[in-house]
Amino acid sequence: MDKLPLNRRAVVTSLLAASAAPWVMGSRALAASSCGDHIVRLGSVNTPDTMSPFASSSNWWPLCFAYDFLVCVDAQRHPDRRGFAKEWSVGDDNLTWTFKIWPGMKWSDGQPATAHDAAFTYNYLRDSIGTPNELNVGYNTTNGLENVKSVAALDDETLQIVTKAPTRWPIDNTTMIVPEHIWKDISYADALSTFRNDPPLVGTGPMIVSEFNQGQFVRLTPNPYFRAGKPSIAGAIIQYLNTVDSLAAGLKSGSLDYIGVTASQWADLSKDPDIVVGQKRIEQRDYLAFNTASGDGEGSTKALQDPAFRDAIGYAIDQKAIVERAYQGHGDAGAGPIPPILADYYSDMGDIKRRFDLTEVSRRLDAAGYRDTNGDGVREDKEGKSFQLELITTGGSGNIAVPIAAAQLIAIWLKEIGVPVSVTRLDTISARTSAPAKGGGGWDLLMFSSWPFGFPYALLEFGSSKSIGVYNKSYWTNSKFDELLSEIKATVDLKKSQELVDQAARLLYTEAPYIILSYPFSLDAHRKDCIQGWGGTQEIFSDNSYFPMDRLSSK
């Protein structure tokens, strides 16, 4: 789910500057270019404030290189990107999960890394629930542990997690496993505040955080005890810079190896023979949300509460044109709520998919009772008021920014069918899109984005009535959808989960509280001359794990 401050998306993509790429990395930092030092230098415009995974969510970089998840996203998608657990299984009761920990694995200080450390990490969090210093603000959070009955190490290589109800949380959670011998004497209060987890960090990831100078840089050195072998590079530096433009210039000059880029930078860098540009599918989906609230927080017309009106508007939006013109081709055209990267759950809604057709829009709006009765070119709602909708958006949502050009295209198309729209770009929309009960609402249309983890429940939480004003920006409520979501949350079997997700996705699509505009690509680039081992152009760098830091090497 979009865990807001707890989701690495909010961290990784907060490296954006307004129109910049989602996260930017450079390599050789500010030093003169030299392939001989075998160091990869990464660049960021966002600096972490602590190295503690319990106290902050601004430190995805560099913690993902130092610590392992038990399983999580990449380990489920890629057999060569396993985390703390080598393999896992769930019992016939769908409650008892067994994890086999890598035999002989060590922490970066040479101490044994065992199932006891994993059990400690989860129980350390779990035992904080309900205390004044509950650990619920960092990457390592109590979220989800309320459904866990027990966590125990059966032996050094076997971890058992028993849940109270069926759930995939044991393999989907994003908890970073920490060493018991470092953390066992740290109080919850200190874990949240004074204990900064200063370097060198002790982890099982491919790199050790060996130095942290806040606001300036983080230095990484290879972990000699990494289970797949000590990484080949001599180290890495994450350099904190002010602008993404300086990173692009650095890549071209040869002082950087790798950066995330904007669409315009991507086009420019693609012409350089020494640079490889890449684009990858991610979990983000950009959408147009309707304010479906009734009463407090409702929009300017009750038509927004009518599924027939919302569905008709869906035919007035040309997603392919939006991708081509607003995203410069760097994305997939929107359809259902599940992005294409999530192949197990994606559907293009083929049999019920809307097609761009302004004539069909007019037919459907007329049939639903939204006509232009006085011939002034503007339709009226069922209360006789002429439409004048407000579309709000923002330059920074914590994800890849949704291009303002997309809102402008939408306004043009809706004007053509008699529904004029004004576009308002705000610095922040958090107050206006909060729950009506908290003073939010009053807008009509919202152009925004969501970047959930690739887990069934998270994919659809933006339609949950329990998430209104948080993930559910449309304020939409539907009891059948909530029932399906509850079933999805308690389903472990993949096939059954796929069936439930498809039902929920189709319900969301036909009710149309959201129109999915695009699934944007993440764009990046790297030099060819010094470092090798990057992923292919479809995924140079992972957003979900340490990859490819474990396999980079000098040429």
Side-chain angles (χ1 to χ4, degrees):
M1 62 193 73
D2 294 319
K3 292 311 297 175
L4 297 182
L6 304 182
N7 187 321
R8 91 251 184 237
R9 270 73 175 185
V11 176
V12 173
T13 56
S14 68
L15 307 183
L16 268 169
S19 63
W23 47 289
V24 273
M25 300 187 213
S27 26
R28 222 136 2 284
L30 300 180
S33 176
S34 170
C35 293
D37 63 8
H38 311 299
I39 292 176
V40 178
R41 291 176 175 86
L42 314 178
S44 165
V45 295
N46 184 56
T47 177
D49 51 2
T50 175
M51 292 293 103
S52 171
F54 296 96
S56 177
S57 61
S58 68
N59 47 18
W60 168 256
W61 295 86
L63 295 192
C64 67
F65 302 131
Y67 293 118
D68 277 313
F69 301 123
L70 184 63
V71 181
C72 207
V73 175
D74 262 17
Q76 295 181 58
R77 293 179 182 171
H78 306 282
D80 63 339
R81 302 185 196 177
R82 294 290 163 88
F84 204 83
K86 180 181 180 181
E87 55 191 47
W88 55 90
S89 61
V90 63
D92 292 339
D93 61 359
N94 284 332
L95 301 174
T96 305
W97 292 80
T98 302
F99 301 85
K100 301 304 291 186
I101 308 306
W102 295 92
M105 184 166 60
K106 294 182 179 182
W107 293 102
S108 56
D109 63 357
Q111 295 292 315
T114 71
H116 297 280
D117 293 291
F120 165 79
T121 302
Y122 288 115
N123 286 322
Y124 184 68
L125 286 164
R126 188 164 168 260
D127 292 345
S128 78
I129 295 176
T131 69
N133 295 296
E134 182 172 339
L135 301 173
N136 59 5
V137 299
Y139 270 107
N140 285 10
T141 172
T142 56
N143 182 55
L145 280 162
E146 68 279 358
N147 191 36
V148 172
K149 182 178 180 181
S150 64
V151 183
L154 304 185
D155 55 46
D156 284 354
E157 297 176 11
T158 310
L159 177 74
Q160 183 185 82
I161 297 179
V162 181
T163 60
K164 298 174 184 177
T167 174
R168 291 175 60 89
W169 179 89
I171 60 173
D172 289 348
N173 73 87
T174 59
T175 303
M176 297 177 181
I177 306 302
V178 300
E180 181 176 8
H181 65 280
I182 299 294
W183 287 88
K184 64 180 180 180
D185 296 323
I186 307 301
S187 70
Y188 296 142
D190 287 346
L192 289 171
S193 57
T194 59
F195 185 71
R196 290 169 52 83
N197 197 27
D198 290 329
L201 270 62
V202 178
T204 52
M207 306 299 288
I208 299 169
V209 176
S210 56
E211 188 177 0
F212 172 41
N213 191 322
Q214 187 171 349
Q216 296 186 42
F217 68 89
V218 167
R219 187 181 304 277
L220 305 170
T221 53
N223 178 1
Y225 299 105
F226 184 56
R227 57 188 170 273
K230 180 181 177 180
S232 297
I233 55 174
I237 294 174
I238 303 176
Q239 186 78 46
Y240 300 110
L241 306 174
N242 293 325
T243 69
V244 295
D245 289 340
S246 64
L247 295 178
L251 190 72
K252 295 184 74 172
S253 70
S255 62
L256 305 177
D257 296 310
Y258 175 90
I259 59 171
V261 298
T262 64
S264 58
Q265 289 172 335
W266 194 95
D268 179 52
L269 294 170
S270 67
K271 303 171 186 176
D272 192 315
D274 295 321
I275 293 173
V276 175
V277 293
Q279 60 181 13
K280 62 184 173 184
R281 283 175 167 161
I282 53 177
E283 291 90 345
Q284 182 171 324
R285 58 264 171 108
D286 297 348
Y287 59 74
L288 180 72
F290 296 86
N291 179 350
T292 68
S294 175
D296 291 344
E298 69 179 21
S300 65
T301 172
K302 293 186 181 300
L304 299 166
Q305 303 165 29
D306 183 357
F309 175 79
R310 301 192 300 260
D311 178 62
I313 295 299
Y315 287 87
I317 296 173
D318 188 344
Q319 284 98 332
K320 289 184 178 180
I322 286 176
V323 168
E324 291 170 1
R325 296 163 64 179
Y327 295 80
Q328 300 181 41
H330 297 296
D332 291 313
I338 314 300
I341 190 175
L342 304 163
D344 285 340
Y345 299 100
Y346 172 71
S347 169
D348 68 357
M349 303 284 117
D351 59 323
I352 59 172
K353 188 175 182 179
R354 305 179 192 94
R355 312 292 178 185
F356 178 66
D357 186 337
L358 297 184
T359 300
E360 179 66 11
V361 178
S362 295
R363 187 191 70 79
R364 287 175 176 265
L365 288 176
D366 286 348
Y370 304 104
R371 300 171 179 271
D372 175 13
T373 58
N374 59 11
D376 64 354
V378 178
R379 294 176 182 270
E380 296 89 37
D381 63 17
K382 294 180 181 180
E383 297 175 318
K385 296 187 300 182
S386 295
F387 282 108
Q388 179 58 61
L389 304 183
E390 178 194 28
L391 187 159
I392 62 172
T393 188
T394 180
S397 64
N399 299 334
I400 296 176
V402 187
I404 190 66
Q408 294 165 345
L409 288 170
I410 291 169
I412 290 170
W413 292 322
L414 266 59
K415 182 179 180 180
E416 289 187 39
I417 50 94
V419 181
V421 173
S422 63
V423 177
T424 303
R425 189 172 187 177
L426 305 172
D427 291 334
T428 177
I429 60 170
S430 56
R432 293 203 62 184
T433 61
S434 63
K438 296 182 178 181
W443 49 272
D444 298 319
L445 304 172
L446 164 70
M447 192 176 74
F448 203 57
S449 64
S450 172
W451 192 343
F453 276 100
F455 311 140
Y457 182 84
L459 299 175
L460 296 163
E461 195 173 14
F462 73 156
S464 170
S465 63
K466 296 179 180 179
S467 297
I468 287 177
V470 184
Y471 315 121
N472 184 348
K473 299 296 185 182
S474 71
Y475 310 144
W476 179 69
T477 62
N478 184 287
S479 59
K480 176 60 178 176
F481 185 88
D482 286 343
E483 290 173 8
L484 286 168
L485 208 54
S486 295
E487 287 188 70
I488 290 167
K489 192 173 185 179
T491 299
V492 173
D493 178 73
L494 176 60
K495 184 176 181 180
K496 179 62 174 177
S497 179
Q498 289 172 325
E499 293 172 353
L500 292 169
V501 168
D502 187 63
Q503 290 179 46
R506 286 171 173 269
L507 178 57
L508 195 69
Y509 189 86
T510 55
E511 287 281 312
Y514 303 96
I515 304 296
I516 306 300
L517 305 175
S518 170
Y519 314 109
F521 296 154
S522 177
L523 309 178
D524 50 10
H526 72 83
R527 292 194 63 85
K528 301 177 182 179
D529 45 4
C530 295
I531 303 297
Q532 61 187 359
W534 309 104
T537 56
Q538 298 302 308
E539 188 189 30
I540 294 176
F541 232 105
S542 173
D543 292 329
N544 297 296
S545 74
Y546 51 75
F547 175 84
M549 194 64 78
D550 60 326
R551 60 202 73 186
L552 294 178
S553 63
S554 298
K555 285 190 173 181

